């Protein structure tokens, strides 16, 4: 495979946005094109989880390529539920690594706030196995089942779990793209509305609009993509052998580290998919940063704080930055890139040589791990 | 104990219909291939008794209904895990010995704990 670099990135502010999906994606794309200082692309990769139902829009890849003024470039839409942004990046990576494309534009976005919260929850529940849906499962309920099992096996308490939300909100203050830029306390989290016991409102990432764009090239640049791994798991949680760890992440991480030829201990910072606070702890273990149960210990000892030994979600994570589902996997890659190029405006950015992102599709049915290396 | 919802016949715990593989894997969900060894799964039955592995109570429900609903995963004696609903008014704890019963609408419920 040929080597692949990130040449430019663009992110919109996440939150409740009045623009159309096309307008939001154009905003991100313009920023990425300006950052990369070029606008000629061999292909356009488009990611959105469900514009068909959130917005009644289809043929989205063609619609976006047209709106961006990039016709006649070839284009396709990639969809892997909530890891769409990361899978999209992987597909574009392969196009450049194969030598077929010299430069591609990757754009991912989601508008979720045009429907009610109930409707959005219902749409998100479509990723769940039919039998489990019939039993009333929602994404939060399935995450709660995993969370309680983790609590039983490793002694995690609700107060400790709240530390993830507090840390990520603190990290997000100062991130100009974040949906939430306000600190919260442990008691704010514990007193927030119970959604699916033990997960409360502040244990869950928000419903957000947002778009991200990345330019990938075969020409050396500031950030190199040195490893990507992807794997699936059984859709029905009851069919799996573990309720507290996600095999899809573990296999994806193994593949990514093998391709990158580095070890987990060499990672300087990680963006871990914290759609739920417990997923940050579980994800940090599944990618190999800590052993089983070690993610909890690292959290409570402050190791995952920005000044700690293994900073996680210094951008604010999905929790504070927001979670426009199709875009999050690409946003994580953009945030690591910002830190590697010294442009992150968070309260506590880091300067990583090696950065890792972990993206979760559905209830960990289709996950990706991506490893980047700074060229500086 | 839960009470049957309107229009539903409540069925006492009986062996559950499941799908098993020669390798030992089993599931209550209709699948063709064993996820462990890729051999073909065959129809079989399982004891409905097992232990609660984990549970949650949904306070925000996808159907918008106001009363909380219970959802759990039970590790059956046969080694198969099944998801089932439970009445949140009956307190469930991880490790409780329970039976899983099938209602006529195909939904699995925790029917009672062992004395």
């Amino acid at each position: 495979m040929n080597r692949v670099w990130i040449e430019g990135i663009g992110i919109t502010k996440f939150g409740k946005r009045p623009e159309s999906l096309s307008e939001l994606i154009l905003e991100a794309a313009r920023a990425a094109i300006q950052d990369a200082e070029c606008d000629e692309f061999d292909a356009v990769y488009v990611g959105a989880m469900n514009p068909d139902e959130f917005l009644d829009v289809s043929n989205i890849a063609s619609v976006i390529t047209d709106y961006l003024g990039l016709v006649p470039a070839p284009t396709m839409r990639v969809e892997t539920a909530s890891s769409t942004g990361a899978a999209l990046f992987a597909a574009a990576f392969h196009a450049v690594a194969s030598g077929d494309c010299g430069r591609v534009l990757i754009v991912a976005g989601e508008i979720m706030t045009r429907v009610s919260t109930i409707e959005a929850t219902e749409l998100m529940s479509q990723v769940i196995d039919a039998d489990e849906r019939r039993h009333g499962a929602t994404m939060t309920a399935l995450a709660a089942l995993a969370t309680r099992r983790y609590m039983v096996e490793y002694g995690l308490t609700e107060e400790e779990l709240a530390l993830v939300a507090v840390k990520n909100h603190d990290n997000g203050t100062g991130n100009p793209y974040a949906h939430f830029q306000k600190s919260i306390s442990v008691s704010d989290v514990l007193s927030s509305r119970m959604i699916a016991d033990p997960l409360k409102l502040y244990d869950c990432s928000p419903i957000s609009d947002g778009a991200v764009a990345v330019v990938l090239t075969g020409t050396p640049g500031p950030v190199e993509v040195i490893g990507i791994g992807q794997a699936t798991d059984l859709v029905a949680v009851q069919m799996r052998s573990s309720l507290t760890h996600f095999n899809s992440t573990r296999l994806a991480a193994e593949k990514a580290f093998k391709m990158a030829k580095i070890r987990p201990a060499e990672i300087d910072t990680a963006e871990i998919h914290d759609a739920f606070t417990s997923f940050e702890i579980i994800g940090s273990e599944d990618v190999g940063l800590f052993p089983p149960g070690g993610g909890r210990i690292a959290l409570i000892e402050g190791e995952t704080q920005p000044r700690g030994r293994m900073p996680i979600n210094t951008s604010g994570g999905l929790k504070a930055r927001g979670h426009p589902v199709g875009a999050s996997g690409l946003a994580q890659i953009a945030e690591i890139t910002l830190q590697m190029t010294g442009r992150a405006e968070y309260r506590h950015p880091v300067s990583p040589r090696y950065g890792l992102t972990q993206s979760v599709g559905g209830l960990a049915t289709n996950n990706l791990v991506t490893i980047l290396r700074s060229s500086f | 104990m839960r009470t049957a919802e309107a229009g539903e016949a409540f069925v006492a715990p009986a062996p559950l219909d499941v799908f098993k593989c020669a390798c030992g894997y089993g599931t209550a969900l209709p699948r063709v291939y064993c996820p462990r060894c890729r051999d073909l799964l065959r129809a079989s039955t399982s004891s409905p008794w097992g232990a609660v592995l984990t549970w949650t109570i949904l306070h925000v429900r996808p159907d918008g209904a106001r009363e909380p609903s219970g959802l759990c995963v039970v590790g059956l004696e046969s080694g198969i895990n099944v998801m089932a609903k439970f009445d949140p008014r009956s307190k469930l704890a991880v490790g409780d010995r329970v039976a899983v019963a099938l209602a006529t609408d195909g939904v699995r419920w925790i029917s009672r704990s062992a004395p």
Side-chain angles (χ1 to χ4, degrees):
Chain A
M1 287 198 298
N2 297 329
R3 293 168 70 179
V4 180
W5 286 266
I6 293 174
E7 202 171 32
I9 64 115
I11 316 181
T12 69
K13 182 174 184 320
F14 289 6
K16 195 167 160 62
R17 298 288 305 250
E19 295 92 341
S20 69
L21 182 58
S22 295
E23 287 166 338
L24 212 54
I25 285 180
L26 178 60
E27 182 184 319
R30 270 198 182 127
I33 284 167
Q34 190 174 357
D35 194 28
E37 291 172 342
C38 72
D39 59 4
E40 298 291 325
F41 302 105
D42 298 309
V44 181
Y45 281 77
V46 179
M49 178 175 154
N50 200 349
D52 320 75
E53 288 193 89
F54 278 117
L55 298 168
D56 282 337
V57 171
S58 77
N59 196 20
I60 192 74
S62 297
V63 166
I64 293 295
T65 299
D66 179 332
Y67 194 74
L68 296 182
L70 294 174
V71 159
T75 184
M76 67 176 74
R77 169 185 171 192
V78 173
E79 177 275 317
T80 60
S82 38
S83 61
T84 284
L88 177 71
F89 185 85
F93 169 87
H94 290 127
V96 178
S98 70
D100 187 42
C101 292
R103 179 184 288 113
V104 301
L105 176 67
I106 308 169
V107 294
E110 208 85 44
I111 299 274
M112 302 176 74
T113 65
R114 302 294 179 269
V115 300
S116 68
T117 302
I118 298 267
E119 282 171 270
T121 305
E122 176 59 28
L123 287 174
M124 293 307 301
S125 296
Q126 288 178 349
V127 310
I128 296 169
D129 170 79
D131 176 271
E132 300 191 338
R133 272 183 89 185
R134 198 178 324 124
H135 286 79
T138 58
M139 288 295 288
T140 312
L142 295 181
L145 292 172
T147 306
R148 171 154 282 106
R149 188 68 207 171
Y150 186 98
M151 288 173 155
V152 159
E153 288 188 27
Y154 300 108
L156 177 74
T157 66
E158 290 178 43
E159 290 79 6
E160 291 167 351
L161 189 57
L163 295 174
V164 175
V166 171
K167 168 177 73 72
N168 291 350
H169 271 263
D170 190 53
N171 288 350
T173 62
N175 182 349
Y177 308 114
H179 187 151
F180 296 129
Q181 297 175 24
K182 223 170 58 113
S183 289
I184 58 173
S185 66
V186 168
S187 78
D188 288 332
V189 180
L190 295 179
S191 60
S192 67
R193 182 181 178 198
M194 187 68 80
I195 308 292
D197 198 315
L199 295 177
K200 305 162 199 65
L201 183 66
Y202 281 14
D203 283 302
C204 309
S205 60
I207 288 168
S208 321
D209 305 328
V212 183
V214 173
V215 176
L216 272 192
T217 171
T219 314
V223 175
E224 187 174 357
V225 185
I226 62 170
I228 297 187
Q230 178 176 7
T232 51
D233 201 344
L234 302 170
V235 177
V237 162
Q238 66 198 289
M239 287 183 67
R240 300 178 186 175
S241 48
S242 172
L243 292 170
T244 55
H245 288 94
F246 301 135
N247 206 40
S248 51
T249 303
R250 288 179 161 173
L251 293 173
E254 267 173 39
K255 286 196 250 183
F257 279 109
K258 187 167 176 212
M259 189 192 294
K261 299 190 177 58
I262 66 166
R263 291 164 291 110
E266 298 178 69
I267 296 294
D268 296 305
T269 190
E271 293 280 312
I272 303 285
H273 186 104
D274 56 328
F276 305 100
T277 43
S278 51
F279 278 20
E280 177 176 304
I281 299 171
I282 289 171
S284 70
E285 296 175 6
D286 287 342
V287 300
L289 297 176
F290 309 111
R296 166 188 167 260
I297 294 168
L299 169 72
I300 63 186
E301 292 185 348
E303 286 185 47
T304 59
Q305 289 282 355
R307 300 275 179 270
R309 191 173 63 80
M310 183 61 250
I312 293 181
N313 288 332
T314 50
S315 65
L318 274 58
K319 180 69 193 73
R321 178 182 56 248
H323 185 26
V325 280
S328 283
L330 198 63
Q332 294 171 318
I333 288 165
E335 301 280 16
I336 298 274
T337 300
L338 279 178
Q339 290 177 95
M340 285 182 171
T341 51
R343 296 176 295 164
E345 295 172 66
Y346 327 142
R347 180 179 272 193
H348 312 288
V350 296
S351 300
R353 171 139 174 82
Y354 293 105
L356 176 148
T357 71
Q358 176 249 11
S359 186
V360 176
L363 212 293
T365 63
N366 199 346
N367 291 8
L368 289 102
V369 170
T370 304
I371 300 176
L372 307 177
R373 177 173 61 206
S374 170
S375 302
F376 298 122
Chain B
M1 280 293 292
R2 74 155 189 101
T3 52
E5 289 180 358
E8 231 182 274
F10 180 58
V11 180
L16 295 170
D17 289 329
V18 296
F19 300 89
K20 287 185 182 169
C21 181
C23 77
Y25 182 85
T27 175
L29 273 53
R31 293 290 187 273
V32 178
Y33 299 110
C34 172
R36 200 180 284 168
C37 74
R38 300 209 182 151
D39 212 344
L40 292 173
L41 292 165
R42 297 211 197 126
S44 184
T45 58
S46 161
S47 156
W49 289 94
V52 174
L53 294 175
T54 184
W55 61 268
T56 185
I57 294 174
L58 286 88
H59 294 264
V60 177
R61 293 170 55 162
D63 55 8
R66 301 287 296 274
E67 327 88 64
S69 69
L71 188 67
C72 67
V73 178
V74 176
L76 299 175
E77 289 170 341
S78 59
I80 296 173
N81 290 350
V82 291
M83 194 171 283
K85 297 182 81 158
F86 69 94
D87 183 336
R89 290 170 299 181
S90 56
K91 300 290 166 214
L92 215 61
V94 172
D96 281 355
R97 184 167 158 73
V98 297
V100 176
L102 190 69
T104 50
D105 62 355
V107 172
R108 295 179 300 274
W109 285 85
I110 298 300
S111 71
R112 64 171 172 272
S113 314

